[in-house]
Structure formats: structure tokens, C-alpha cells
Amino acid sequence: MKDKPLVSILVNCFNSETYLKDCLDSLINQTYKNLEIVIWDNRSYDNTKKIAQSFNDKRIKYFLSNSHKNLVESRIDAWKKLNGRYVAILDSDDIAYENRIDIQLTEMRKNTNLAVIGGGIQYIDENGHFLNKNFYLPNSKKIYEEIYSKFVMNNSTLFFDKTKVDKVGGYSNQYVYINDYDLVYRLSTKYEIHNHQSVLSQNRIHKDSLSYLDNKIMQKELYDFLK
């Protein structure tokens, strides 16, 4: 399987019953098959566990946190359960296009100095209706021009070289909501970072999403990070 390395897909969950099935359907139907789909449940009290365990797919691995924690603490705990050479991130209310992993793995393996690759995003509403799309700057040189002032990748398109992430210390608990930005920034100081110029995931915008509920806190963290 050397030519088909294991890819871990990390899905952090908390009360995700509304959209989790669509999320997992998009992952088990990926064109790239050598996957483990790690579901980290942050002590949900809805039907998240039932939905996660309803899939008859041995690649799905469900873990229940021993206590409810904030987002970055959950990601740090979940990271310890990942066995893949590479790690893809998908939020539990989002959807990956079926060729996402194939595309990102192919690009990653072309460049041994590449630490993370993102891609374009299609925003959808709570009913799955298309909103706008967003494409990010493609390569390290252009990304570096903007990384000091704003987000340069979408979390639900992130695809990491796990070894390089571990070398920079992984997710830091210094930031609860912009932990992905902080990690990408630290990777960019040592390695190349790219964005594929095609839409790889659908990002769902709804009233219960963390980015919607905690926007003020997120902006405060971003201000502190950039100052």
C-alpha cells in the first residue's frame, strides 16, 4: 500500500445530528479509498453517536471525549487518534466533493516540501442551496503576501502532511477558534503551503455553526494574533 498511503479524515462533532449523515456520506464515497474517518464526539447529547455508528463501514472510527472541551482542545485530543500519513479536515456540517482526497494527495506527493494544501470552497445554506464560491491564492509566494492580514485557507479544505504538523507542535491551545490559522501560519514559516484552484468542499452557513455564533470571539483572537 506504499503507493496508496493511509489518509486520516478528522471530523470533530458536537450535537451534529442535523448534517452529520451528509458529511459522512461524502467521505465514504471518496474516489480515494485508503481512508480512516475519525469522528471525535465532544460529548454530544443528541443523535450524533447513533448516526455515526449507523454506517456499515470499517473505516469509520468513533471516539467519545471523556468531557466536553473547547474546539482546540478537542482537535488536540482527536489528533492523537489519527494513524494516517496525511490528514484531511472536514467540519461535521460540511461536505467534501468526491475527488477531494485524490486531488490533494496527488498534489501533496508531487512536492516533498509541501506541508498543507487547501482549495476552493462552495458556500451553501442550511438547506444545501448554493451561495457564493471562494477561491484562495494558489501558492506560497502569493499566500505569504496575505497571511499576515487574513485567513488564507478554508478549514474544511485543509489537507496536512502529518509529520510536518507534528514537527511544528500541532494545534496550539493558545487560540480556541483560529487554531487552524495559527497552525497554517507556523507551517508557512518552515514549509510550502498551497491552495488547489478548484472547489473541494461545501461549507454550510447556518445559525448554529461556530463561525456564526462566536464571530466576535473569533475576531478578537484574530486581532490578538495579528497585532
mmCIF file of all heavy atoms in Angstrom, residues 15 19 23 37 67 78 83 85 92 98 102 109 115 118 123 132-133 139 142 147 151 154 159 161 170 180 189 202 209:
data_model
loop_
_atom_site.group_PDB
_atom_site.id
_atom_site.type_symbol
_atom_site.label_atom_id
_atom_site.label_comp_id
_atom_site.label_asym_id
_atom_site.label_seq_id
_atom_site.Cartn_x
_atom_site.Cartn_y
_atom_site.Cartn_z
ATOM 1 N N ASN A 15 -23.186 17.750 18.885
ATOM 2 C CA ASN A 15 -24.601 17.874 18.529
ATOM 3 C C ASN A 15 -24.767 18.105 17.029
ATOM 4 O O ASN A 15 -25.372 19.079 16.582
ATOM 5 C CB ASN A 15 -25.257 18.999 19.331
ATOM 6 C CG ASN A 15 -25.403 18.648 20.797
ATOM 7 O OD1 ASN A 15 -25.266 17.480 21.194
ATOM 8 N ND2 ASN A 15 -25.683 19.636 21.619
ATOM 9 N N TYR A 19 -26.647 17.445 10.212
ATOM 10 C CA TYR A 19 -25.894 17.411 8.963
ATOM 11 C C TYR A 19 -24.851 16.289 8.891
ATOM 12 O O TYR A 19 -24.203 16.124 7.852
ATOM 13 C CB TYR A 19 -25.181 18.755 8.755
ATOM 14 C CG TYR A 19 -26.107 19.940 8.779
ATOM 15 C CD1 TYR A 19 -26.025 20.897 9.788
ATOM 16 C CD2 TYR A 19 -27.081 20.108 7.798
ATOM 17 C CE1 TYR A 19 -26.880 21.988 9.814
ATOM 18 C CE2 TYR A 19 -27.941 21.198 7.810
ATOM 19 C CZ TYR A 19 -27.838 22.139 8.825
ATOM 20 O OH TYR A 19 -28.683 23.208 8.849
ATOM 21 N N CYS A 23 -22.348 14.700 5.692
ATOM 22 C CA CYS A 23 -20.898 14.822 5.802
ATOM 23 C C CYS A 23 -20.226 13.465 5.607
ATOM 24 O O CYS A 23 -19.313 13.315 4.782
ATOM 25 C CB CYS A 23 -20.536 15.409 7.170
ATOM 26 S SG CYS A 23 -18.763 15.423 7.546
ATOM 27 N N ILE A 37 -11.797 7.377 8.785
ATOM 28 C CA ILE A 37 -12.641 8.541 9.063
ATOM 29 C C ILE A 37 -12.832 8.599 10.568
ATOM 30 O O ILE A 37 -13.551 7.791 11.158
ATOM 31 C CB ILE A 37 -13.988 8.428 8.329
ATOM 32 C CG1 ILE A 37 -13.750 8.306 6.813
ATOM 33 C CG2 ILE A 37 -14.876 9.634 8.635
ATOM 34 C CD1 ILE A 37 -14.959 7.822 6.040
ATOM 35 N N SER A 67 -14.916 14.334 28.343
ATOM 36 C CA SER A 67 -15.602 15.519 28.873
ATOM 37 C C SER A 67 -15.778 16.508 27.728
ATOM 38 O O SER A 67 -15.108 16.415 26.694
ATOM 39 C CB SER A 67 -14.801 16.166 30.006
ATOM 40 O OG SER A 67 -13.547 16.636 29.528
ATOM 41 N N ALA A 78 -8.239 14.668 19.489
ATOM 42 C CA ALA A 78 -8.561 13.838 18.334
ATOM 43 C C ALA A 78 -7.323 13.525 17.503
ATOM 44 O O ALA A 78 -7.196 12.419 16.954
ATOM 45 C CB ALA A 78 -9.618 14.539 17.471
ATOM 46 N N ASN A 83 -3.983 7.832 12.494
ATOM 47 C CA ASN A 83 -2.930 6.908 12.085
ATOM 48 C C ASN A 83 -2.387 7.178 10.690
ATOM 49 O O ASN A 83 -1.437 6.524 10.259
ATOM 50 C CB ASN A 83 -3.468 5.474 12.120
ATOM 51 C CG ASN A 83 -3.927 5.063 13.500
ATOM 52 O OD1 ASN A 83 -3.148 5.064 14.448
ATOM 53 N ND2 ASN A 83 -5.210 4.729 13.623
ATOM 54 N N ARG A 85 -0.763 8.880 7.199
ATOM 55 C CA ARG A 85 0.425 9.641 6.792
ATOM 56 C C ARG A 85 0.023 11.081 6.489
ATOM 57 O O ARG A 85 0.818 12.016 6.664
ATOM 58 C CB ARG A 85 1.022 8.986 5.538
ATOM 59 C CG ARG A 85 2.192 9.748 4.902
ATOM 60 C CD ARG A 85 3.418 9.740 5.797
ATOM 61 N NE ARG A 85 4.532 10.426 5.158
ATOM 62 C CZ ARG A 85 4.693 11.754 5.155
ATOM 63 N NH1 ARG A 85 3.803 12.536 5.746
ATOM 64 N NH2 ARG A 85 5.748 12.291 4.568
ATOM 65 N N SER A 92 -18.221 18.883 10.644
ATOM 66 C CA SER A 92 -19.311 17.911 10.619
ATOM 67 C C SER A 92 -20.559 18.402 9.883
ATOM 68 O O SER A 92 -21.446 17.604 9.574
ATOM 69 C CB SER A 92 -19.694 17.513 12.041
ATOM 70 O OG SER A 92 -20.124 18.648 12.786
ATOM 71 N N GLU A 98 -16.353 14.402 -4.095
ATOM 72 C CA GLU A 98 -15.903 13.014 -4.088
ATOM 73 C C GLU A 98 -14.448 12.831 -4.505
ATOM 74 O O GLU A 98 -13.822 11.832 -4.130
ATOM 75 C CB GLU A 98 -16.803 12.162 -4.983
ATOM 76 C CG GLU A 98 -16.749 12.518 -6.459
ATOM 77 C CD GLU A 98 -17.615 11.611 -7.304
ATOM 78 O OE1 GLU A 98 -18.319 10.757 -6.715
ATOM 79 O OE2 GLU A 98 -17.580 11.728 -8.543
ATOM 80 N N ASP A 102 -8.322 12.556 -3.544
ATOM 81 C CA ASP A 102 -7.480 12.207 -4.691
ATOM 82 C C ASP A 102 -6.693 13.418 -5.187
ATOM 83 O O ASP A 102 -5.480 13.337 -5.426
ATOM 84 C CB ASP A 102 -8.348 11.663 -5.830
ATOM 85 C CG ASP A 102 -8.226 10.155 -5.997
ATOM 86 O OD1 ASP A 102 -7.142 9.614 -5.716
ATOM 87 O OD2 ASP A 102 -9.206 9.514 -6.397
ATOM 88 N N ARG A 109 1.971 14.821 -2.926
ATOM 89 C CA ARG A 109 3.069 13.888 -3.170
ATOM 90 C C ARG A 109 3.995 14.347 -4.297
ATOM 91 O O ARG A 109 5.065 13.792 -4.488
ATOM 92 C CB ARG A 109 2.501 12.500 -3.458
ATOM 93 C CG ARG A 109 1.679 11.966 -2.292
ATOM 94 C CD ARG A 109 1.260 10.534 -2.487
ATOM 95 N NE ARG A 109 2.358 9.618 -2.197
ATOM 96 C CZ ARG A 109 2.338 8.318 -2.487
ATOM 97 N NH1 ARG A 109 1.304 7.805 -3.127
ATOM 98 N NH2 ARG A 109 3.357 7.550 -2.168
ATOM 99 N N ALA A 115 3.540 21.312 3.082
ATOM 100 C CA ALA A 115 3.039 20.896 4.396
ATOM 101 C C ALA A 115 1.525 20.857 4.468
ATOM 102 O O ALA A 115 0.954 20.060 5.218
ATOM 103 C CB ALA A 115 3.567 21.836 5.480
ATOM 104 N N GLY A 118 -4.865 23.546 0.658
ATOM 105 C CA GLY A 118 -6.297 23.793 0.774
ATOM 106 C C GLY A 118 -6.916 23.821 -0.613
ATOM 107 O O GLY A 118 -6.383 23.242 -1.557
ATOM 108 N N TYR A 123 -19.956 27.784 -0.762
ATOM 109 C CA TYR A 123 -20.801 28.013 0.403
ATOM 110 C C TYR A 123 -22.233 27.587 0.095
ATOM 111 O O TYR A 123 -22.738 27.815 -1.010
ATOM 112 C CB TYR A 123 -20.768 29.491 0.806
ATOM 113 C CG TYR A 123 -19.423 29.929 1.322
ATOM 114 C CD1 TYR A 123 -18.555 30.666 0.518
ATOM 115 C CD2 TYR A 123 -19.009 29.587 2.603
ATOM 116 C CE1 TYR A 123 -17.306 31.057 0.989
ATOM 117 C CE2 TYR A 123 -17.755 29.975 3.086
ATOM 118 C CZ TYR A 123 -16.917 30.708 2.261
ATOM 119 O OH TYR A 123 -15.680 31.080 2.727
ATOM 120 N N ASN A 132 -22.344 31.665 -2.600
ATOM 121 C CA ASN A 132 -21.187 32.059 -3.401
ATOM 122 C C ASN A 132 -20.043 31.056 -3.254
ATOM 123 O O ASN A 132 -20.044 30.199 -2.374
ATOM 124 C CB ASN A 132 -20.707 33.447 -2.987
ATOM 125 C CG ASN A 132 -20.335 33.508 -1.511
ATOM 126 O OD1 ASN A 132 -21.125 33.137 -0.651
ATOM 127 N ND2 ASN A 132 -19.135 33.965 -1.210
ATOM 128 N N LYS A 133 -19.055 31.195 -4.132
ATOM 129 C CA LYS A 133 -17.826 30.409 -4.057
ATOM 130 C C LYS A 133 -16.674 31.305 -3.639
ATOM 131 O O LYS A 133 -16.742 32.525 -3.793
ATOM 132 C CB LYS A 133 -17.501 29.780 -5.423
ATOM 133 C CG LYS A 133 -18.495 28.754 -5.909
ATOM 134 C CD LYS A 133 -18.075 28.222 -7.277
ATOM 135 C CE LYS A 133 -19.089 27.213 -7.808
ATOM 136 N NZ LYS A 133 -18.709 26.718 -9.164
ATOM 137 N N ASN A 139 -0.354 29.686 -4.315
ATOM 138 C CA ASN A 139 0.919 29.135 -3.875
ATOM 139 C C ASN A 139 1.568 29.965 -2.777
ATOM 140 O O ASN A 139 1.126 31.061 -2.455
ATOM 141 C CB ASN A 139 1.886 28.987 -5.065
ATOM 142 C CG ASN A 139 2.088 30.305 -5.802
ATOM 143 O OD1 ASN A 139 2.296 31.336 -5.188
ATOM 144 N ND2 ASN A 139 2.005 30.261 -7.126
ATOM 145 N N LYS A 142 2.442 33.854 -3.158
ATOM 146 C CA LYS A 142 1.307 34.770 -3.116
ATOM 147 C C LYS A 142 0.603 34.728 -1.762
ATOM 148 O O LYS A 142 0.128 35.744 -1.265
ATOM 149 C CB LYS A 142 0.333 34.425 -4.243
ATOM 150 C CG LYS A 142 0.901 34.705 -5.629
ATOM 151 C CD LYS A 142 -0.118 34.443 -6.727
ATOM 152 C CE LYS A 142 0.455 34.797 -8.093
ATOM 153 N NZ LYS A 142 -0.520 34.564 -9.181
ATOM 154 N N ILE A 147 -1.002 36.342 4.354
ATOM 155 C CA ILE A 147 -1.183 35.543 5.560
ATOM 156 C C ILE A 147 -1.062 36.377 6.832
ATOM 157 O O ILE A 147 -1.570 35.995 7.885
ATOM 158 C CB ILE A 147 -0.189 34.366 5.587
ATOM 159 C CG1 ILE A 147 -0.656 33.302 6.598
ATOM 160 C CG2 ILE A 147 1.230 34.838 5.880
ATOM 161 C CD1 ILE A 147 0.103 32.003 6.503
ATOM 162 N N PHE A 151 -7.298 35.233 6.803
ATOM 163 C CA PHE A 151 -7.297 33.806 6.547
ATOM 164 C C PHE A 151 -6.930 33.543 5.085
ATOM 165 O O PHE A 151 -7.410 34.228 4.185
ATOM 166 C CB PHE A 151 -8.670 33.197 6.833
ATOM 167 C CG PHE A 151 -9.017 33.157 8.295
ATOM 168 C CD1 PHE A 151 -9.894 34.067 8.848
ATOM 169 C CD2 PHE A 151 -8.471 32.196 9.133
ATOM 170 C CE1 PHE A 151 -10.221 34.037 10.189
ATOM 171 C CE2 PHE A 151 -8.782 32.147 10.471
ATOM 172 C CZ PHE A 151 -9.657 33.066 11.007
ATOM 173 N N ASN A 154 -9.456 27.666 3.817
ATOM 174 C CA ASN A 154 -10.694 27.298 4.490
ATOM 175 C C ASN A 154 -10.476 25.999 5.254
ATOM 176 O O ASN A 154 -9.937 25.032 4.718
ATOM 177 C CB ASN A 154 -11.815 27.124 3.465
ATOM 178 C CG ASN A 154 -13.137 26.788 4.108
ATOM 179 O OD1 ASN A 154 -13.389 25.654 4.488
ATOM 180 N ND2 ASN A 154 -13.998 27.786 4.234
ATOM 181 N N PHE A 159 -5.582 19.920 4.114
ATOM 182 C CA PHE A 159 -5.005 18.586 3.919
ATOM 183 C C PHE A 159 -3.531 18.683 4.309
ATOM 184 O O PHE A 159 -2.752 19.366 3.656
ATOM 185 C CB PHE A 159 -5.157 18.160 2.458
ATOM 186 C CG PHE A 159 -4.747 16.748 2.173
ATOM 187 C CD1 PHE A 159 -5.676 15.715 2.153
ATOM 188 C CD2 PHE A 159 -3.413 16.434 1.890
ATOM 189 C CE1 PHE A 159 -5.292 14.404 1.865
ATOM 190 C CE2 PHE A 159 -3.025 15.141 1.606
ATOM 191 C CZ PHE A 159 -3.969 14.114 1.595
ATOM 192 N N ASP A 161 0.354 17.264 5.697
ATOM 193 C CA ASP A 161 1.386 16.249 5.892
ATOM 194 C C ASP A 161 1.556 16.125 7.407
ATOM 195 O O ASP A 161 2.064 17.042 8.055
ATOM 196 C CB ASP A 161 2.689 16.698 5.217
ATOM 197 C CG ASP A 161 3.808 15.684 5.366
ATOM 198 O OD1 ASP A 161 3.899 15.032 6.427
ATOM 199 O OD2 ASP A 161 4.619 15.553 4.426
ATOM 200 N N GLY A 170 1.904 20.859 16.196
ATOM 201 C CA GLY A 170 0.478 20.619 16.038
ATOM 202 C C GLY A 170 -0.379 21.809 16.418
ATOM 203 O O GLY A 170 0.089 22.961 16.472
ATOM 204 N N ASP A 180 -6.687 26.821 13.478
ATOM 205 C CA ASP A 180 -6.283 26.389 12.144
ATOM 206 C C ASP A 180 -5.401 27.447 11.474
ATOM 207 O O ASP A 180 -4.392 27.126 10.839
ATOM 208 C CB ASP A 180 -7.507 26.079 11.283
ATOM 209 C CG ASP A 180 -8.536 27.196 11.263
ATOM 210 O OD1 ASP A 180 -8.548 28.039 12.186
ATOM 211 O OD2 ASP A 180 -9.351 27.228 10.323
ATOM 212 N N THR A 189 6.105 29.143 7.922
ATOM 213 C CA THR A 189 7.440 29.662 8.244
ATOM 214 C C THR A 189 8.533 28.635 7.971
ATOM 215 O O THR A 189 9.718 28.985 7.958
ATOM 216 C CB THR A 189 7.523 30.104 9.709
ATOM 217 O OG1 THR A 189 7.368 28.959 10.572
ATOM 218 C CG2 THR A 189 6.463 31.142 10.027
ATOM 219 N N GLN A 202 -17.952 21.816 0.323
ATOM 220 C CA GLN A 202 -19.059 22.736 0.545
ATOM 221 C C GLN A 202 -19.070 23.132 2.022
ATOM 222 O O GLN A 202 -19.024 22.270 2.894
ATOM 223 C CB GLN A 202 -20.389 22.084 0.175
ATOM 224 C CG GLN A 202 -20.530 21.774 -1.295
ATOM 225 C CD GLN A 202 -21.851 21.106 -1.635
ATOM 226 O OE1 GLN A 202 -22.536 20.583 -0.769
ATOM 227 N NE2 GLN A 202 -22.211 21.123 -2.908
ATOM 228 N N SER A 209 -23.724 27.243 13.510
ATOM 229 C CA SER A 209 -22.306 26.985 13.268
ATOM 230 C C SER A 209 -21.455 27.841 14.202
ATOM 231 O O SER A 209 -21.834 28.943 14.593
ATOM 232 C CB SER A 209 -21.943 27.283 11.810
ATOM 233 O OG SER A 209 -22.116 28.655 11.523
#
